[in-house]
Amino acid sequence: MASLIFRTRLSAHSPSLLLSQRRLFSNKTYDHIVASKPVPSVALLTLNRPKALNALSTPLFKDLNQALIEADADKDIGAIVITGSEKAFAAGADIKELKEKDFAGAYSGDLFKEWSVITTIKKPIIAAVSGYALGGGCELAMMCDMILASPTATFGQPEINLGVSPGGGGTQRLTQIVGKYRAMELMLTGRNFSAEEAEKWGLVNRIVGPGEGEVVKEAVELARKISSKSQIASQATKEMINAAYELPLTEGVRFERRLFFGLFNTNDKNEGKCNHLGFHEDIS
């Protein structure tokens, strides 16, 4: 039975991190993820299909989407971390699920429609990647707003080896990040690439130090730091940055300015925060 309640099962990441979790941000539990609050302002969503190396099935994405929507609506949460296990962030889409599909079934059933929900979440999302992030796993990481990688992280879009192409945005997002020619080589050969290459090409923010659970620890700390800022300003800034990929420069600047002016009417633009930013009046 598909459960809608959050579970407190230990993940494959650092037990000390999970034991320090204060409380769940919901009364709900899920079958394919573990959802928790390691600190009051951060939601941690851990993919939990260890036997399948966190293969991205439709039931998993439904669980993940519901947790993301709930975290987005929680006023106490300012940022979200998505992670997997030490061995695999997510090793790809669920091949058993895909092999039953033909064109008509995939098209009429709008296959992968669940994969787009993450792009509608307003709060910043950080991927904490250890082990394999391949195919759909790489695409999921790229749908996040930031990526921290452990030294063991391995990325790739190897779908060509199965006689298909990426279908969850890989050809678009990876090309925007690494450029056309490198994307062509990677996706037409199916070659995996290391955390070091990903950092060099701008796919990840940084590689964290070695050690089990270290990438999650640093991702949670980054999320906590983001959460300490104005939520409305953080969400508006995320929207502005994402617009840079969709709009011409002139339109993007106009869009940015409208949101910037809109922030003038928020409660977070108060005297204390303005002073901190150096916007205070000179009263000397």
Side-chain angles (χ1 to χ4, degrees):
M1 181 178 68
S3 173
L4 296 178
I5 300 187
F6 273 63
R7 251 178 231 171
T8 54
R9 295 174 297 193
L10 292 180
S11 85
H13 276 298
S14 171
S16 62
L17 178 67
L18 292 174
L19 290 173
S20 69
Q21 292 170 352
R22 300 183 181 183
R23 63 186 176 90
L24 302 178
F25 63 86
S26 162
N27 293 324
K28 297 181 178 179
T29 323
Y30 294 94
D31 289 329
H32 304 294
I33 68 170
V34 176
S36 59
K37 271 187 176 180
V39 295
S41 61
V42 176
L44 175 61
L45 307 180
T46 304
L47 310 184
N48 194 34
R49 294 188 70 202
K51 292 182 179 179
L53 296 180
N54 293 328
L56 300 173
S57 63
T58 297
L60 183 150
F61 253 109
K62 287 182 177 179
D63 281 358
L64 180 61
N65 290 342
Q66 187 168 349
L68 284 167
I69 291 168
E70 184 179 352
D72 210 30
D74 189 322
K75 294 181 180 179
D76 293 333
I77 292 172
I80 302 164
V81 175
I82 297 177
T83 192
S85 67
E86 289 293 328
K87 189 173 183 179
F89 174 75
D94 192 322
I95 301 301
K96 292 181 180 179
E97 187 176 282
L98 295 181
K99 74 178 183 179
E100 305 298 329
K101 301 289 185 181
D102 58 12
F103 173 79
Y107 185 79
S108 63
D110 199 6
L111 183 66
F112 288 174
K113 65 181 178 180
E114 292 87 1
W115 292 44
S116 299
V117 172
I118 188 173
T119 64
T120 69
I121 300 302
K122 294 181 178 180
K123 293 175 181 176
I125 303 173
I126 302 166
V129 179
S130 290
Y132 296 113
L134 304 178
C138 188
E139 290 168 322
L140 174 59
M142 290 189 292
M143 283 188 274
C144 296
D145 302 304
M146 288 157 276
I147 304 175
L148 299 188
S150 77
T152 67
T154 300
F155 299 88
Q157 300 289 163
E159 290 89 345
I160 196 76
N161 296 327
L162 300 176
V164 294
S165 68
T171 61
Q172 306 305 299
R173 292 188 175 92
L174 188 60
T175 301
Q176 287 183 340
I177 295 167
V178 306
K180 171 186 173 180
Y181 303 107
R182 183 170 284 123
M184 284 283 190
E185 178 184 349
L186 292 171
M187 286 184 270
L188 293 179
T189 65
R191 178 174 80 82
N192 296 340
F193 53 97
S194 67
E196 289 79 7
E197 288 174 302
E199 183 181 40
K200 178 181 177 182
W201 299 337
L203 181 65
V204 304
N205 291 61
R206 63 178 179 272
I207 301 172
V208 307
E212 185 176 352
E214 189 64 25
V215 69
V216 176
K217 180 180 177 181
E218 291 207 21
V220 168
E221 175 56 23
L222 176 58
R224 185 203 62 76
K225 186 177 295 185
I226 292 169
S227 299
S228 71
K229 315 299 182 182
S230 161
Q231 282 199 29
I232 187 67
S234 293
Q235 292 172 31
T237 301
K238 169 178 171 172
E239 188 175 0
M240 294 174 199
I241 293 170
N242 284 334
Y245 283 90
E246 306 289 341
L247 299 175
L249 179 59
T250 301
E251 289 300 315
V253 171
R254 187 177 293 118
F255 177 74
E256 176 191 272
R257 197 159 295 158
R258 285 198 298 268
L259 287 185
F260 172 67
F261 292 158
L263 292 173
F264 286 6
N265 292 326
T266 64
N267 291 330
D268 286 339
K269 184 186 172 290
N270 55 39
E271 184 65 22
K273 289 183 178 173
C274 285
N275 285 343
H276 177 71
L277 291 170
F279 292 158
H280 60 282
E281 294 181 6
D282 186 355
I283 58 174
S284 59

